[in-house]
Amino acid sequence: MLERRIDNRKIVNTPVRLYHPELGRFDGMTNDISGGGVALKLNSYTNFLTEPPEDPILLRCCNTDVLYPVSCLRQTEFNLVVKFLE
């Protein structure tokens, strides 16, 4: 099967925190990461795809102080795939 992704994925399991401007803070773990985005396994379910927020969603790995602006691509019950905006 031909891989459609531009960037190769790497399996990385690290705690992350997602800051949504309207829904608040969500904790989870990364499943895999690439140059274009990251797959997250969240500790709780919230529908992120209802309406995109005006301000970007921010992603922070718990071992750094850097915030990455992201947007949602797709979501299942506890998994969320986001792409990096910068």
Side-chain angles (χ1 to χ4, degrees), residues 56-82:
I57 299 169
L58 300 174
L59 175 70
R60 177 181 164 275
C61 295
C62 289
N63 55 358
T64 68
D65 290 331
V66 179
L67 294 172
Y68 299 96
V70 296
S71 66
C72 297
L73 290 179
R74 62 186 166 275
Q75 182 176 17
T76 61
E77 186 174 349
F78 286 108
N79 292 319
L80 179 69
V81 177
V82 296

Side-chain angles (χ1 to χ4, degrees), residues 3-10 33-37 84:
E3 179 66 47
R4 298 180 322 188
R5 292 175 178 81
I6 296 171
D7 299 312
N8 291 332
R9 294 180 290 171
K10 295 183 175 123
I33 190 168
S34 71
F84 297 116

Side-chain angles (χ1 to χ4, degrees), residues 6 22 26 28 32 38-41 44 52 57-58 69-70 78 81:
I6 296 171
E22 296 157 9
F26 298 89
D32 60 57
V38 62
L40 307 170
K41 182 168 183 148
S44 62
I57 299 169
L58 300 174
V70 296
F78 286 108
V81 177

